[in-house]
Amino acid sequence: MKKECIAEGVDLSFLDNFIIDGQCNQNYSYEEKKDLLMKLKKTLELKEFNGDLIHFVDVLLQNVEVLHRKDTDGSLLRDQYMAENVSWILQKEQQRGNDCIFISGHNEHVAKWGSYDSMGKLLSNQYRYYVIGTNFYKTRCNLPEGNHKRTIQTFYSHDPLAKTEKLAGFKMCWIDFSSLEEGTEIKRHADAYTYMGTLGESYSIMNRFLPPSYRMFQPPTTLYDSMIYVSNASPTKIIE
């Protein structure tokens, strides 16, 4: 946004204290953050600057709004905004002659939930949407634990399909659920409620005492069109 504004000759001096090291200054209240960004948006709209630049301001407004919400409505709003932004990206690509896009995200966000209006569910209601979930038998993860420190921890998903994949000798495999035959054992497991790993970008000691805190209990075929299973996932190496 700053790069585009500078190119258009827009005065951004008010942002010097508003955004520090890529983050909104927490000394500003929610109302102050929203007011500053709305003033910038109105300035851009009055001067009829390009829609991309206005969209960048909208994304910042979305960020401020989501971080302000502390209840479950914040999670729903976050997925709604993500779906809107994916639609915006798709429209940009369609203008370039591309009729589809590939997006990557956390399992819970890309999944086509039945009861939860996730990004994936919202997109599947609007577009031809094919989603591939991922899971592991065993994973070693590089996770933040506070104070700008990270820790490598080991987890098991308890997913019977991931365990079967490991016992069959595969390091990695892909199962297309549409190809599974009715009445088979693998089809029964894919349709049944089962544990799947759902780790995010955080670590808590509660993950040790409460394994459900990093597992979800859902039917794979309800959430995804297919899944990639990894026997042993290795931790991400952070390059300083």
Side-chain angles (χ1 to χ4, degrees):
M1 184 196 74
K2 293 175 74 173
K3 180 180 178 181
E4 290 286 334
C5 282
I6 291 172
E8 296 285 0
V10 179
D11 180 17
L12 290 178
S13 57
F14 76 95
L15 288 179
D16 291 342
N17 293 320
F18 180 64
I19 298 179
I20 301 175
D21 295 329
Q23 301 292 326
C24 288
N25 189 338
Q26 296 308 308
N27 291 325
Y28 285 82
S29 68
Y30 162 72
E31 289 77 14
E32 289 172 326
K33 293 175 184 176
K34 192 171 181 178
D35 184 58
L36 282 169
L37 291 171
M38 285 302 298
K39 286 180 178 178
L40 175 59
K41 182 177 179 179
K42 288 178 180 178
T43 298
L44 299 177
E45 288 175 336
L46 286 172
K47 294 187 177 182
E48 298 183 346
F49 286 126
N50 70 73
D52 289 5
L53 183 49
I54 294 173
H55 179 75
F56 298 153
V57 181
D58 282 334
V59 170
L60 274 179
L61 281 165
Q62 291 173 356
N63 182 266
V64 168
E65 185 69 28
V66 168
L67 292 178
H68 175 66
R69 301 281 188 95
K70 300 300 181 184
D71 52 13
T72 54
D73 288 343
S75 296
L76 290 170
L77 187 62
R78 182 185 178 199
D79 275 88
Q80 176 188 324
Y81 284 155
M82 289 197 300
E84 290 175 3
N85 289 330
V86 169
S87 294
W88 181 82
I89 293 170
L90 175 60
Q91 291 166 10
K92 298 295 292 185
E93 290 302 320
Q94 288 173 334
Q95 292 171 8
R96 298 186 176 106
N98 302 315
D99 60 357
C100 63
I101 59 173
F102 181 94
I103 61 174
S104 177
H106 190 280
N107 272 357
E108 290 191 5
H109 293 301
V110 300
K112 298 183 286 189
W113 292 83
S115 58
Y116 168 58
D117 286 341
S118 63
M119 176 191 71
K121 181 181 177 181
L122 295 172
L123 293 174
S124 67
N125 290 336
Q126 189 174 358
Y127 304 107
R128 185 164 53 91
Y129 181 74
Y130 185 92
V131 56
I132 305 173
T134 57
N135 204 16
F136 55 88
Y137 170 74
K138 173 186 176 182
T139 184
R140 294 176 68 238
C141 290
N142 187 332
L143 301 170
E145 59 175 348
N147 299 320
H148 303 289
K149 294 182 179 180
R150 302 185 74 90
T151 179
I152 294 178
Q153 299 289 332
T154 301
F155 301 94
Y156 293 85
S157 69
H158 279 218
D159 183 338
L161 290 176
K163 184 176 182 180
T164 300
E165 173 249 356
K166 177 179 172 57
L167 294 176
F170 294 109
K171 292 183 179 180
M172 184 185 300
C173 75
W174 170 64
I175 299 178
D176 181 1
F177 295 140
S178 66
S179 68
L180 301 182
E181 295 183 11
E182 293 292 340
T184 60
E185 190 72 4
I186 189 170
K187 173 65 173 172
R188 183 178 69 81
H189 276 298
D191 288 339
Y193 275 80
T194 189
Y195 284 111
M196 292 180 282
T198 181
L199 290 158
E201 180 63 359
S202 64
Y203 172 72
S204 167
I205 192 64
M206 295 304 293
N207 294 146
R208 290 281 161 248
F209 295 112
L210 292 173
S213 64
Y214 68 86
R215 298 174 188 152
M216 60 179 168
F217 193 60
Q218 293 288 330
T221 53
T222 298
L223 271 56
Y224 314 109
D225 295 295
S226 64
M227 288 194 75
I228 295 173
Y229 295 92
V230 178
S231 290
N232 295 289
S234 56
T236 299
K237 182 178 180 181
I238 307 298
I239 300 176
E240 298 295 340

